Amino acid sequence: MRKKNEIDFERIFKGKKIPILTLDERWHELFPEYDKPVHLKEIEVKLNELIKQQGKLASDMKDMKALKNKLMQEIITHMDVNDTEIGKLKAKTLDRNQRYIKELSEKMNRTEDELMELPYQIKAVNEQLIVESAKVCYERLNSNNKKVGEIALWVSKIRNELKEKILEKQDMEMKNTAIYSYMHDMLGPELLQGLDEELKNSL
């Protein structure tokens, strides 16, 4: 059950057109390897495996179609079967090729079914990855915003303290100037200079 004010990411992303995240550089910028949560890595692996599987099946399908065409051509070439030795060899090749074509057609049908199903599986896992990625991003945004607020308060406090310290410093400098001025008037410049030198030597 969702908490109050919690974003329903599943509803937001459901059925939307989303790029395949593991093939998108921006997603990798958001989640570099050193800063990627474990649960995102697990979904990433699952998605990449499905994409790899889709690529392999598409390649297999291409090879099977080429092989089927080759076998079909051989059947056409060996159609003129007769009772001679060459004719019997052609009959064997014909029979073998027809058997291969049947097996190949069954395998192609199964591969085609898998290829039709895979985009839906990829879409579902990709949706799962965007939902979990968005959750992590918003957790980070909220955490950063909280820290930004804390730092802003600290800066404001330090700024006020700094203003106070600057005023205190100016006040002390004015008091020192006044003390020095009164002593100068009261004792005269020569005596004050002597006192200053004594003070410097004692430091």
Side-chain angles (χ1 to χ4, degrees):
M1 185 152 173
R2 275 189 306 116
K3 297 172 194 167
K4 195 182 175 187
N5 299 328
E6 194 178 337
I7 303 167
D8 188 355
F9 292 104
E10 283 89 352
R11 183 186 58 78
I12 291 165
F13 291 115
K14 191 76 185 162
K16 299 290 188 299
K17 194 179 176 185
I18 301 152
I20 302 294
L21 296 184
T22 58
L23 304 177
D24 195 314
E25 268 310 307
R26 292 163 298 185
W27 185 79
H28 290 285
E29 289 287 334
L30 272 173
F31 299 105
E33 220 34 59
Y34 66 86
D35 195 27
K36 195 180 292 174
V38 175
H39 72 293
L40 289 192
K41 283 184 184 179
E42 287 167 0
I43 305 168
E44 179 187 14
V45 167
K46 195 175 168 185
L47 183 56
N48 283 339
E49 279 171 1
L50 287 170
I51 294 164
K52 209 181 286 178
Q53 191 185 344
Q54 189 182 42
K56 187 185 180 303
L57 287 176
S59 175
D60 288 351
M61 190 64 145
K62 195 179 169 186
D63 293 343
M64 284 188 285
K65 278 180 181 174
L67 180 58
K68 190 177 177 181
N69 286 338
K70 189 183 171 205
L71 292 170
M72 294 286 274
Q73 281 302 118
E74 281 183 19
I75 285 173
I76 293 163
T77 310
H78 296 88
M79 287 294 270
D80 54 332
V81 174
N82 54 43
D83 287 336
T84 63
E85 281 301 313
I86 292 171
K88 284 174 185 175
L89 274 171
K90 284 186 176 182
K92 273 187 179 179
T93 304
L94 199 65
D95 185 50
R96 186 196 65 205
N97 283 8
Q98 282 172 337
R99 199 169 64 250
Y100 281 168
I101 285 170
K102 191 186 173 193
E103 286 170 11
L104 205 52
S105 293
E106 285 170 5
K107 195 176 177 186
M108 283 171 76
N109 286 338
R110 287 196 299 273
T111 304
E112 207 160 44
D113 289 345
E114 281 186 72
L115 278 169
M116 283 175 75
E117 187 57 37
L118 271 167
Y120 298 103
Q121 291 175 21
I122 289 168
K123 190 176 187 299
V125 176
N126 194 51
E127 250 177 44
Q128 187 189 358
L129 187 55
I130 189 67
V131 164
E132 292 307 318
S133 298
K135 283 179 186 175
V136 172
C137 284
Y138 273 86
E139 276 168 19
R140 288 177 178 180
L141 284 169
N142 290 336
S143 172
N144 290 346
N145 284 336
K146 191 181 171 189
K147 282 176 188 168
V148 165
E150 286 167 3
I151 291 167
L153 278 173
W154 179 83
V155 167
S156 176
K157 186 185 168 193
I158 290 297
R159 195 177 278 137
N160 288 334
E161 282 180 20
L162 187 63
K163 278 180 191 171
E164 285 171 17
K165 291 291 177 191
I166 288 167
L167 288 171
E168 192 180 339
K169 175 180 168 277
Q170 287 171 346
D171 187 46
M172 293 291 178
E173 285 169 347
M174 282 168 70
K175 280 178 181 172
N176 281 353
T177 302
I179 289 167
Y180 205 77
S181 178
Y182 289 135
M183 285 180 75
H184 184 277
D185 291 347
M186 192 169 61
L187 302 172
E190 283 178 32
L191 191 55
L192 193 63
Q193 191 178 347
L195 278 170
D196 282 347
E197 282 170 11
E198 282 294 322
L199 187 66
K200 277 178 195 170
N201 291 334
S202 68
L203 291 172

